[in-house]
PDB file of all heavy atoms in Angstrom:
ATOM      1  N   LYS A1478      -8.752  41.318  14.705  1.00  0.00           N
ATOM      2  CA  LYS A1478      -9.333  42.606  14.308  1.00  0.00           C
ATOM      3  C   LYS A1478     -10.774  42.734  14.803  1.00  0.00           C
ATOM      4  O   LYS A1478     -11.078  43.585  15.612  1.00  0.00           O
ATOM      5  CB  LYS A1478      -9.288  42.750  12.785  1.00  0.00           C
ATOM      6  CG  LYS A1478      -7.888  42.962  12.239  1.00  0.00           C
ATOM      7  CD  LYS A1478      -7.450  44.412  12.428  1.00  0.00           C
ATOM      8  CE  LYS A1478      -6.085  44.686  11.822  1.00  0.00           C
ATOM      9  NZ  LYS A1478      -5.020  43.760  12.238  1.00  0.00           N
ATOM     10  N   PRO A1480     -14.643  41.826  16.481  1.00  0.00           N
ATOM     11  CA  PRO A1480     -15.078  41.337  17.793  1.00  0.00           C
ATOM     12  C   PRO A1480     -15.244  39.827  17.807  1.00  0.00           C
ATOM     13  O   PRO A1480     -14.912  39.159  18.793  1.00  0.00           O
ATOM     14  CB  PRO A1480     -16.422  42.035  18.007  1.00  0.00           C
ATOM     15  CG  PRO A1480     -16.898  42.385  16.641  1.00  0.00           C
ATOM     16  CD  PRO A1480     -15.670  42.653  15.831  1.00  0.00           C
ATOM     17  N   GLN A1483     -11.883  38.175  17.978  1.00  0.00           N
ATOM     18  CA  GLN A1483     -11.331  38.320  19.318  1.00  0.00           C
ATOM     19  C   GLN A1483     -11.984  37.329  20.282  1.00  0.00           C
ATOM     20  O   GLN A1483     -11.304  36.642  21.045  1.00  0.00           O
ATOM     21  CB  GLN A1483     -11.564  39.746  19.804  1.00  0.00           C
ATOM     22  CG  GLN A1483     -10.833  40.021  21.097  1.00  0.00           C
ATOM     23  CD  GLN A1483     -11.323  41.279  21.765  1.00  0.00           C
ATOM     24  OE1 GLN A1483     -12.416  41.774  21.496  1.00  0.00           O
ATOM     25  NE2 GLN A1483     -10.493  41.811  22.645  1.00  0.00           N
ATOM     26  N   TRP A1484     -13.302  37.275  20.206  1.00  0.00           N
ATOM     27  CA  TRP A1484     -14.005  36.335  21.089  1.00  0.00           C
ATOM     28  C   TRP A1484     -13.605  34.905  20.780  1.00  0.00           C
ATOM     29  O   TRP A1484     -13.368  34.105  21.683  1.00  0.00           O
ATOM     30  CB  TRP A1484     -15.525  36.490  20.925  1.00  0.00           C
ATOM     31  CG  TRP A1484     -16.247  35.338  21.555  1.00  0.00           C
ATOM     32  CD1 TRP A1484     -16.417  35.118  22.875  1.00  0.00           C
ATOM     33  CD2 TRP A1484     -16.846  34.231  20.878  1.00  0.00           C
ATOM     34  NE1 TRP A1484     -17.093  33.944  23.088  1.00  0.00           N
ATOM     35  CE2 TRP A1484     -17.372  33.371  21.867  1.00  0.00           C
ATOM     36  CE3 TRP A1484     -16.993  33.876  19.532  1.00  0.00           C
ATOM     37  CZ2 TRP A1484     -18.029  32.199  21.558  1.00  0.00           C
ATOM     38  CZ3 TRP A1484     -17.645  32.707  19.231  1.00  0.00           C
ATOM     39  CH2 TRP A1484     -18.167  31.877  20.231  1.00  0.00           C
ATOM     40  N   PRO A1749     -24.628  33.847  25.749  1.00  0.00           N
ATOM     41  CA  PRO A1749     -24.578  35.304  25.598  1.00  0.00           C
ATOM     42  C   PRO A1749     -24.217  35.725  24.181  1.00  0.00           C
ATOM     43  O   PRO A1749     -24.775  36.698  23.658  1.00  0.00           O
ATOM     44  CB  PRO A1749     -23.478  35.723  26.580  1.00  0.00           C
ATOM     45  CG  PRO A1749     -23.354  34.615  27.554  1.00  0.00           C
ATOM     46  CD  PRO A1749     -23.722  33.371  26.802  1.00  0.00           C
ATOM     47  N   TRP A1751     -24.766  34.071  21.464  1.00  0.00           N
ATOM     48  CA  TRP A1751     -25.940  33.816  20.630  1.00  0.00           C
ATOM     49  C   TRP A1751     -26.959  34.948  20.798  1.00  0.00           C
ATOM     50  O   TRP A1751     -27.474  35.499  19.828  1.00  0.00           O
ATOM     51  CB  TRP A1751     -26.546  32.466  21.031  1.00  0.00           C
ATOM     52  CG  TRP A1751     -27.899  32.223  20.475  1.00  0.00           C
ATOM     53  CD1 TRP A1751     -28.201  31.883  19.193  1.00  0.00           C
ATOM     54  CD2 TRP A1751     -29.135  32.312  21.175  1.00  0.00           C
ATOM     55  NE1 TRP A1751     -29.542  31.745  19.041  1.00  0.00           N
ATOM     56  CE2 TRP A1751     -30.148  32.011  20.254  1.00  0.00           C
ATOM     57  CE3 TRP A1751     -29.483  32.616  22.497  1.00  0.00           C
ATOM     58  CZ2 TRP A1751     -31.505  31.993  20.604  1.00  0.00           C
ATOM     59  CZ3 TRP A1751     -30.820  32.605  22.849  1.00  0.00           C
ATOM     60  CH2 TRP A1751     -31.820  32.288  21.901  1.00  0.00           C
ATOM     61  N   ALA A1752     -27.202  35.337  22.058  1.00  0.00           N
ATOM     62  CA  ALA A1752     -28.200  36.376  22.323  1.00  0.00           C
ATOM     63  C   ALA A1752     -27.801  37.697  21.688  1.00  0.00           C
ATOM     64  O   ALA A1752     -28.650  38.515  21.338  1.00  0.00           O
ATOM     65  CB  ALA A1752     -28.368  36.551  23.829  1.00  0.00           C
ATOM     66  N   LEU A1753     -26.502  37.915  21.505  1.00  0.00           N
ATOM     67  CA  LEU A1753     -26.049  39.193  20.961  1.00  0.00           C
ATOM     68  C   LEU A1753     -26.029  39.190  19.443  1.00  0.00           C
ATOM     69  O   LEU A1753     -25.557  40.142  18.838  1.00  0.00           O
ATOM     70  CB  LEU A1753     -24.665  39.539  21.503  1.00  0.00           C
ATOM     71  CG  LEU A1753     -24.648  39.841  23.002  1.00  0.00           C
ATOM     72  CD1 LEU A1753     -23.240  40.065  23.493  1.00  0.00           C
ATOM     73  CD2 LEU A1753     -25.518  41.063  23.290  1.00  0.00           C
ATOM     74  N   GLY A1754     -26.477  38.111  18.809  1.00  0.00           N
ATOM     75  CA  GLY A1754     -26.641  38.200  17.371  1.00  0.00           C
ATOM     76  C   GLY A1754     -25.893  37.201  16.516  1.00  0.00           C
ATOM     77  O   GLY A1754     -25.668  37.442  15.341  1.00  0.00           O
ATOM     78  N   LEU A1755     -25.482  36.055  17.116  1.00  0.00           N
ATOM     79  CA  LEU A1755     -24.936  35.000  16.259  1.00  0.00           C
ATOM     80  C   LEU A1755     -25.978  33.899  16.117  1.00  0.00           C
ATOM     81  O   LEU A1755     -26.775  33.688  17.030  1.00  0.00           O
ATOM     82  CB  LEU A1755     -23.661  34.418  16.877  1.00  0.00           C
ATOM     83  CG  LEU A1755     -22.382  34.976  16.248  1.00  0.00           C
ATOM     84  CD1 LEU A1755     -22.201  36.410  16.668  1.00  0.00           C
ATOM     85  CD2 LEU A1755     -21.196  34.147  16.626  1.00  0.00           C
ATOM     86  N   THR A1756     -25.969  33.200  14.982  1.00  0.00           N
ATOM     87  CA  THR A1756     -26.914  32.093  14.852  1.00  0.00           C
ATOM     88  C   THR A1756     -26.290  30.843  15.462  1.00  0.00           C
ATOM     89  O   THR A1756     -25.066  30.748  15.631  1.00  0.00           O
ATOM     90  CB  THR A1756     -27.237  31.802  13.386  1.00  0.00           C
ATOM     91  OG1 THR A1756     -26.035  31.441  12.733  1.00  0.00           O
ATOM     92  CG2 THR A1756     -27.833  33.018  12.706  1.00  0.00           C
ATOM     93  N   ARG A1757     -27.148  29.882  15.780  1.00  0.00           N
ATOM     94  CA  ARG A1757     -26.646  28.625  16.337  1.00  0.00           C
ATOM     95  C   ARG A1757     -25.764  27.913  15.322  1.00  0.00           C
ATOM     96  O   ARG A1757     -24.769  27.283  15.672  1.00  0.00           O
ATOM     97  CB  ARG A1757     -27.819  27.732  16.733  1.00  0.00           C
ATOM     98  CG  ARG A1757     -28.571  28.263  17.929  1.00  0.00           C
ATOM     99  CD  ARG A1757     -29.880  27.540  18.106  1.00  0.00           C
ATOM    100  NE  ARG A1757     -30.785  27.814  17.003  1.00  0.00           N
ATOM    101  CZ  ARG A1757     -31.804  27.036  16.671  1.00  0.00           C
ATOM    102  NH1 ARG A1757     -32.029  25.934  17.343  1.00  0.00           N
ATOM    103  NH2 ARG A1757     -32.583  27.353  15.662  1.00  0.00           N
ATOM    104  N   PRO A1839     -33.653  27.033  21.133  1.00  0.00           N
ATOM    105  CA  PRO A1839     -33.435  28.341  21.755  1.00  0.00           C
ATOM    106  C   PRO A1839     -33.828  28.350  23.229  1.00  0.00           C
ATOM    107  O   PRO A1839     -33.167  28.997  24.039  1.00  0.00           O
ATOM    108  CB  PRO A1839     -34.338  29.278  20.950  1.00  0.00           C
ATOM    109  CG  PRO A1839     -34.494  28.608  19.638  1.00  0.00           C
ATOM    110  CD  PRO A1839     -34.409  27.141  19.890  1.00  0.00           C
ATOM    111  N   THR A1840     -34.884  27.593  23.569  1.00  0.00           N
ATOM    112  CA  THR A1840     -35.306  27.634  24.974  1.00  0.00           C
ATOM    113  C   THR A1840     -34.202  27.104  25.891  1.00  0.00           C
ATOM    114  O   THR A1840     -34.043  27.576  27.009  1.00  0.00           O
ATOM    115  CB  THR A1840     -36.571  26.793  25.189  1.00  0.00           C
ATOM    116  OG1 THR A1840     -36.385  25.521  24.593  1.00  0.00           O
ATOM    117  CG2 THR A1840     -37.772  27.469  24.589  1.00  0.00           C
ATOM    118  N   LEU A1843     -31.905  29.904  26.381  1.00  0.00           N
ATOM    119  CA  LEU A1843     -32.507  30.965  27.196  1.00  0.00           C
ATOM    120  C   LEU A1843     -32.556  30.593  28.675  1.00  0.00           C
ATOM    121  O   LEU A1843     -32.585  31.460  29.534  1.00  0.00           O
ATOM    122  CB  LEU A1843     -33.918  31.274  26.682  1.00  0.00           C
ATOM    123  CG  LEU A1843     -33.913  32.044  25.358  1.00  0.00           C
ATOM    124  CD1 LEU A1843     -35.293  32.079  24.736  1.00  0.00           C
ATOM    125  CD2 LEU A1843     -33.398  33.465  25.582  1.00  0.00           C
ATOM    126  N   VAL A1845     -30.286  29.616  30.407  1.00  0.00           N
ATOM    127  CA  VAL A1845     -29.086  30.111  31.070  1.00  0.00           C
ATOM    128  C   VAL A1845     -29.368  31.415  31.811  1.00  0.00           C
ATOM    129  O   VAL A1845     -28.853  31.652  32.902  1.00  0.00           O
ATOM    130  CB  VAL A1845     -27.979  30.344  30.022  1.00  0.00           C
ATOM    131  CG1 VAL A1845     -26.800  31.084  30.621  1.00  0.00           C
ATOM    132  CG2 VAL A1845     -27.549  29.015  29.423  1.00  0.00           C
ATOM    133  N   PHE A1846     -30.227  32.252  31.202  1.00  0.00           N
ATOM    134  CA  PHE A1846     -30.392  33.604  31.735  1.00  0.00           C
ATOM    135  C   PHE A1846     -31.478  33.702  32.783  1.00  0.00           C
ATOM    136  O   PHE A1846     -31.674  34.740  33.382  1.00  0.00           O
ATOM    137  CB  PHE A1846     -30.742  34.570  30.589  1.00  0.00           C
ATOM    138  CG  PHE A1846     -29.757  34.510  29.476  1.00  0.00           C
ATOM    139  CD1 PHE A1846     -30.116  34.022  28.231  1.00  0.00           C
ATOM    140  CD2 PHE A1846     -28.455  34.936  29.675  1.00  0.00           C
ATOM    141  CE1 PHE A1846     -29.200  33.972  27.212  1.00  0.00           C
ATOM    142  CE2 PHE A1846     -27.538  34.890  28.656  1.00  0.00           C
ATOM    143  CZ  PHE A1846     -27.906  34.388  27.407  1.00  0.00           C
ATOM    144  N   ALA A1847     -32.252  32.611  32.930  1.00  0.00           N
ATOM    145  CA  ALA A1847     -33.393  32.684  33.835  1.00  0.00           C
ATOM    146  C   ALA A1847     -32.984  32.160  35.195  1.00  0.00           C
ATOM    147  O   ALA A1847     -32.213  31.211  35.313  1.00  0.00           O
ATOM    148  CB  ALA A1847     -34.543  31.873  33.277  1.00  0.00           C
ATOM    149  N   ASN A1848     -33.467  32.779  36.203  1.00  0.00           N
ATOM    150  CA  ASN A1848     -33.062  32.426  37.542  1.00  0.00           C
ATOM    151  C   ASN A1848     -33.729  31.153  38.035  1.00  0.00           C
ATOM    152  O   ASN A1848     -33.095  30.265  38.582  1.00  0.00           O
ATOM    153  CB  ASN A1848     -33.386  33.574  38.478  1.00  0.00           C
ATOM    154  CG  ASN A1848     -32.539  33.503  39.727  1.00  0.00           C
ATOM    155  OD1 ASN A1848     -31.579  32.749  39.751  1.00  0.00           O
ATOM    156  ND2 ASN A1848     -32.898  34.265  40.723  1.00  0.00           N
TER     157      ASN A1848
ATOM    158  N   HIS B 916     -38.717  37.399  25.109  1.00  0.00           N
ATOM    159  CA  HIS B 916     -37.867  36.616  24.199  1.00  0.00           C
ATOM    160  C   HIS B 916     -38.389  36.678  22.779  1.00  0.00           C
ATOM    161  O   HIS B 916     -37.607  36.755  21.829  1.00  0.00           O
ATOM    162  CB  HIS B 916     -37.801  35.150  24.667  1.00  0.00           C
ATOM    163  CG  HIS B 916     -37.115  34.978  25.984  1.00  0.00           C
ATOM    164  ND1 HIS B 916     -37.331  33.894  26.799  1.00  0.00           N
ATOM    165  CD2 HIS B 916     -36.239  35.763  26.649  1.00  0.00           C
ATOM    166  CE1 HIS B 916     -36.599  34.009  27.899  1.00  0.00           C
ATOM    167  NE2 HIS B 916     -35.935  35.144  27.827  1.00  0.00           N
ATOM    168  N   LEU B 921     -35.464  36.086  20.069  1.00  0.00           N
ATOM    169  CA  LEU B 921     -34.713  34.987  20.670  1.00  0.00           C
ATOM    170  C   LEU B 921     -35.432  33.660  20.512  1.00  0.00           C
ATOM    171  O   LEU B 921     -34.836  32.605  20.656  1.00  0.00           O
ATOM    172  CB  LEU B 921     -34.467  35.277  22.151  1.00  0.00           C
ATOM    173  CG  LEU B 921     -33.500  36.438  22.420  1.00  0.00           C
ATOM    174  CD1 LEU B 921     -33.740  37.049  23.786  1.00  0.00           C
ATOM    175  CD2 LEU B 921     -32.059  35.959  22.317  1.00  0.00           C
ATOM    176  N   ASP B 922     -36.766  33.738  20.251  1.00  0.00           N
ATOM    177  CA  ASP B 922     -37.534  32.507  20.101  1.00  0.00           C
ATOM    178  C   ASP B 922     -38.650  32.775  19.107  1.00  0.00           C
ATOM    179  O   ASP B 922     -38.897  33.923  18.730  1.00  0.00           O
ATOM    180  CB  ASP B 922     -38.089  32.063  21.471  1.00  0.00           C
ATOM    181  CG  ASP B 922     -38.347  30.555  21.515  1.00  0.00           C
ATOM    182  OD1 ASP B 922     -38.228  29.896  20.457  1.00  0.00           O
ATOM    183  OD2 ASP B 922     -38.682  30.044  22.602  1.00  0.00           O
ATOM    184  N   ASP B 941     -33.557  31.858  11.293  1.00  0.00           N
ATOM    185  CA  ASP B 941     -32.509  32.007  12.300  1.00  0.00           C
ATOM    186  C   ASP B 941     -31.615  33.211  12.025  1.00  0.00           C
ATOM    187  O   ASP B 941     -31.302  33.995  12.914  1.00  0.00           O
ATOM    188  CB  ASP B 941     -31.628  30.736  12.304  1.00  0.00           C
ATOM    189  CG  ASP B 941     -31.863  29.904  13.558  1.00  0.00           C
ATOM    190  OD1 ASP B 941     -32.909  30.116  14.195  1.00  0.00           O
ATOM    191  OD2 ASP B 941     -30.986  29.062  13.883  1.00  0.00           O
ATOM    192  N   ALA B 945     -31.151  36.661  14.104  1.00  0.00           N
ATOM    193  CA  ALA B 945     -29.845  37.018  14.646  1.00  0.00           C
ATOM    194  C   ALA B 945     -29.510  38.461  14.275  1.00  0.00           C
ATOM    195  O   ALA B 945     -28.963  39.216  15.083  1.00  0.00           O
ATOM    196  CB  ALA B 945     -28.777  36.065  14.114  1.00  0.00           C
ATOM    197  N   ARG B 948     -31.297  40.774  16.598  1.00  0.00           N
ATOM    198  CA  ARG B 948     -30.642  40.830  17.911  1.00  0.00           C
ATOM    199  C   ARG B 948     -29.382  41.677  17.849  1.00  0.00           C
ATOM    200  O   ARG B 948     -29.041  42.398  18.766  1.00  0.00           O
ATOM    201  CB  ARG B 948     -30.273  39.412  18.367  1.00  0.00           C
ATOM    202  CG  ARG B 948     -31.441  38.484  18.556  1.00  0.00           C
ATOM    203  CD  ARG B 948     -31.071  37.282  19.418  1.00  0.00           C
ATOM    204  NE  ARG B 948     -30.062  36.409  18.833  1.00  0.00           N
ATOM    205  CZ  ARG B 948     -30.330  35.373  18.034  1.00  0.00           C
ATOM    206  NH1 ARG B 948     -31.591  35.100  17.716  1.00  0.00           N
ATOM    207  NH2 ARG B 948     -29.370  34.618  17.553  1.00  0.00           N
ATOM    208  N   ARG B 949     -28.699  41.540  16.728  1.00  0.00           N
ATOM    209  CA  ARG B 949     -27.436  42.220  16.569  1.00  0.00           C
ATOM    210  C   ARG B 949     -27.640  43.735  16.413  1.00  0.00           C
ATOM    211  O   ARG B 949     -26.925  44.527  17.028  1.00  0.00           O
ATOM    212  CB  ARG B 949     -26.778  41.662  15.307  1.00  0.00           C
ATOM    213  CG  ARG B 949     -25.312  41.843  15.182  1.00  0.00           C
ATOM    214  CD  ARG B 949     -24.870  41.328  13.828  1.00  0.00           C
ATOM    215  NE  ARG B 949     -24.646  39.888  13.832  1.00  0.00           N
ATOM    216  CZ  ARG B 949     -23.526  39.333  13.327  1.00  0.00           C
ATOM    217  NH1 ARG B 949     -22.597  40.096  12.794  1.00  0.00           N
ATOM    218  NH2 ARG B 949     -23.381  38.028  13.347  1.00  0.00           N
ATOM    219  N   PHE B 956     -30.579  40.419  30.581  1.00  0.00           N
ATOM    220  CA  PHE B 956     -31.262  39.361  31.326  1.00  0.00           C
ATOM    221  C   PHE B 956     -30.997  39.516  32.811  1.00  0.00           C
ATOM    222  O   PHE B 956     -30.210  40.358  33.245  1.00  0.00           O
ATOM    223  CB  PHE B 956     -30.780  37.986  30.866  1.00  0.00           C
ATOM    224  CG  PHE B 956     -31.037  37.705  29.426  1.00  0.00           C
ATOM    225  CD1 PHE B 956     -30.038  37.828  28.489  1.00  0.00           C
ATOM    226  CD2 PHE B 956     -32.301  37.308  28.998  1.00  0.00           C
ATOM    227  CE1 PHE B 956     -30.266  37.554  27.162  1.00  0.00           C
ATOM    228  CE2 PHE B 956     -32.534  37.039  27.665  1.00  0.00           C
ATOM    229  CZ  PHE B 956     -31.518  37.162  26.739  1.00  0.00           C
ATOM    230  N   GLN B 958     -29.402  37.414  34.691  1.00  0.00           N
ATOM    231  CA  GLN B 958     -28.066  36.948  35.102  1.00  0.00           C
ATOM    232  C   GLN B 958     -27.303  36.359  33.913  1.00  0.00           C
ATOM    233  O   GLN B 958     -27.887  36.108  32.858  1.00  0.00           O
ATOM    234  CB  GLN B 958     -28.213  35.879  36.173  1.00  0.00           C
ATOM    235  CG  GLN B 958     -29.029  34.694  35.666  1.00  0.00           C
ATOM    236  CD  GLN B 958     -29.134  33.574  36.661  1.00  0.00           C
ATOM    237  OE1 GLN B 958     -28.617  33.672  37.760  1.00  0.00           O
ATOM    238  NE2 GLN B 958     -29.804  32.506  36.275  1.00  0.00           N
ATOM    239  N   PHE B 959     -26.026  36.137  34.137  1.00  0.00           N
ATOM    240  CA  PHE B 959     -25.152  35.481  33.129  1.00  0.00           C
ATOM    241  C   PHE B 959     -25.235  36.115  31.756  1.00  0.00           C
ATOM    242  O   PHE B 959     -25.253  35.429  30.743  1.00  0.00           O
ATOM    243  CB  PHE B 959     -25.464  33.981  33.039  1.00  0.00           C
ATOM    244  CG  PHE B 959     -25.253  33.253  34.324  1.00  0.00           C
ATOM    245  CD1 PHE B 959     -26.234  32.443  34.860  1.00  0.00           C
ATOM    246  CD2 PHE B 959     -24.052  33.397  35.012  1.00  0.00           C
ATOM    247  CE1 PHE B 959     -26.032  31.779  36.061  1.00  0.00           C
ATOM    248  CE2 PHE B 959     -23.843  32.725  36.211  1.00  0.00           C
ATOM    249  CZ  PHE B 959     -24.831  31.921  36.738  1.00  0.00           C
ATOM    250  N   ASN B 960     -25.281  37.449  31.732  1.00  0.00           N
ATOM    251  CA  ASN B 960     -25.320  38.160  30.462  1.00  0.00           C
ATOM    252  C   ASN B 960     -23.969  38.190  29.766  1.00  0.00           C
ATOM    253  O   ASN B 960     -23.906  38.358  28.561  1.00  0.00           O
ATOM    254  CB  ASN B 960     -25.708  39.619  30.711  1.00  0.00           C
ATOM    255  CG  ASN B 960     -27.187  39.772  30.948  1.00  0.00           C
ATOM    256  OD1 ASN B 960     -27.970  39.620  30.033  1.00  0.00           O
ATOM    257  ND2 ASN B 960     -27.565  40.046  32.190  1.00  0.00           N
ATOM    258  N   LEU B 961     -22.888  38.058  30.561  1.00  0.00           N
ATOM    259  CA  LEU B 961     -21.572  38.410  30.026  1.00  0.00           C
ATOM    260  C   LEU B 961     -20.864  37.215  29.402  1.00  0.00           C
ATOM    261  O   LEU B 961     -21.144  36.066  29.739  1.00  0.00           O
ATOM    262  CB  LEU B 961     -20.715  39.014  31.140  1.00  0.00           C
ATOM    263  CG  LEU B 961     -21.358  40.236  31.815  1.00  0.00           C
ATOM    264  CD1 LEU B 961     -20.430  40.824  32.858  1.00  0.00           C
ATOM    265  CD2 LEU B 961     -21.738  41.280  30.772  1.00  0.00           C
ATOM    266  N   ILE B 962     -19.941  37.553  28.501  1.00  0.00           N
ATOM    267  CA  ILE B 962     -19.143  36.507  27.857  1.00  0.00           C
ATOM    268  C   ILE B 962     -17.953  36.224  28.761  1.00  0.00           C
ATOM    269  O   ILE B 962     -17.112  37.096  28.970  1.00  0.00           O
ATOM    270  CB  ILE B 962     -18.687  36.978  26.470  1.00  0.00           C
ATOM    271  CG1 ILE B 962     -19.913  37.301  25.615  1.00  0.00           C
ATOM    272  CG2 ILE B 962     -17.821  35.929  25.809  1.00  0.00           C
ATOM    273  CD1 ILE B 962     -19.584  38.009  24.329  1.00  0.00           C
ATOM    274  N   ASP B 969     -13.821  44.560  26.799  1.00  0.00           N
ATOM    275  CA  ASP B 969     -14.187  43.896  25.540  1.00  0.00           C
ATOM    276  C   ASP B 969     -15.641  43.468  25.559  1.00  0.00           C
ATOM    277  O   ASP B 969     -16.309  43.470  24.521  1.00  0.00           O
ATOM    278  CB  ASP B 969     -13.278  42.686  25.311  1.00  0.00           C
ATOM    279  CG  ASP B 969     -11.825  43.110  25.160  1.00  0.00           C
ATOM    280  OD1 ASP B 969     -11.596  44.163  24.542  1.00  0.00           O
ATOM    281  OD2 ASP B 969     -10.935  42.394  25.674  1.00  0.00           O
ATOM    282  N   PHE B 973     -18.361  44.654  22.814  1.00  0.00           N
ATOM    283  CA  PHE B 973     -18.662  43.536  21.917  1.00  0.00           C
ATOM    284  C   PHE B 973     -19.894  43.768  21.043  1.00  0.00           C
ATOM    285  O   PHE B 973     -19.833  43.687  19.819  1.00  0.00           O
ATOM    286  CB  PHE B 973     -18.838  42.251  22.743  1.00  0.00           C
ATOM    287  CG  PHE B 973     -18.941  41.022  21.899  1.00  0.00           C
ATOM    288  CD1 PHE B 973     -17.809  40.421  21.390  1.00  0.00           C
ATOM    289  CD2 PHE B 973     -20.182  40.463  21.601  1.00  0.00           C
ATOM    290  CE1 PHE B 973     -17.891  39.293  20.610  1.00  0.00           C
ATOM    291  CE2 PHE B 973     -20.269  39.326  20.814  1.00  0.00           C
ATOM    292  CZ  PHE B 973     -19.126  38.741  20.312  1.00  0.00           C
ATOM    293  N   ARG B 976     -19.519  46.618  18.502  1.00  0.00           N
ATOM    294  CA  ARG B 976     -18.634  46.273  17.380  1.00  0.00           C
ATOM    295  C   ARG B 976     -19.343  45.304  16.436  1.00  0.00           C
ATOM    296  O   ARG B 976     -19.210  45.404  15.212  1.00  0.00           O
ATOM    297  CB  ARG B 976     -17.335  45.662  17.904  1.00  0.00           C
ATOM    298  CG  ARG B 976     -16.492  46.678  18.663  1.00  0.00           C
ATOM    299  CD  ARG B 976     -15.300  46.043  19.314  1.00  0.00           C
ATOM    300  NE  ARG B 976     -14.289  45.631  18.338  1.00  0.00           N
ATOM    301  CZ  ARG B 976     -13.270  44.857  18.631  1.00  0.00           C
ATOM    302  NH1 ARG B 976     -13.125  44.386  19.867  1.00  0.00           N
ATOM    303  NH2 ARG B 976     -12.406  44.517  17.700  1.00  0.00           N
ATOM    304  N   LEU B 977     -20.101  44.383  17.024  1.00  0.00           N
ATOM    305  CA  LEU B 977     -20.838  43.427  16.196  1.00  0.00           C
ATOM    306  C   LEU B 977     -21.868  44.167  15.341  1.00  0.00           C
ATOM    307  O   LEU B 977     -22.087  43.828  14.174  1.00  0.00           O
ATOM    308  CB  LEU B 977     -21.549  42.435  17.127  1.00  0.00           C
ATOM    309  CG  LEU B 977     -21.652  40.989  16.686  1.00  0.00           C
ATOM    310  CD1 LEU B 977     -20.307  40.431  16.305  1.00  0.00           C
ATOM    311  CD2 LEU B 977     -22.241  40.158  17.834  1.00  0.00           C
ATOM    312  N   ASN B1035     -31.739  39.846  40.770  1.00  0.00           N
ATOM    313  CA  ASN B1035     -30.790  39.046  41.540  1.00  0.00           C
ATOM    314  C   ASN B1035     -29.967  39.879  42.510  1.00  0.00           C
ATOM    315  O   ASN B1035     -29.046  39.354  43.112  1.00  0.00           O
ATOM    316  CB  ASN B1035     -29.834  38.343  40.567  1.00  0.00           C
ATOM    317  CG  ASN B1035     -30.223  36.893  40.376  1.00  0.00           C
ATOM    318  OD1 ASN B1035     -31.251  36.463  40.917  1.00  0.00           O
ATOM    319  ND2 ASN B1035     -29.431  36.160  39.622  1.00  0.00           N
TER     320      ASN B1035
END
Side-chain angles (χ1 to χ4, degrees):
Chain A
K1478 289 281 183 308
Q1483 189 195 20
W1484 166 74
W1751 167 76
L1753 293 175
L1755 260 71
T1756 61
R1757 290 168 294 159
T1840 49
L1843 287 168
V1845 170
F1846 306 113
N1848 202 13
Chain B
H916 294 157
L921 291 156
D922 205 353
D941 251 19
R948 298 199 296 271
R949 200 184 276 229
F956 299 101
Q958 59 177 1
F959 300 129
N960 282 289
L961 304 183
I962 301 169
D969 297 322
F973 189 81
R976 292 173 71 192
L977 216 52
N1035 259 4

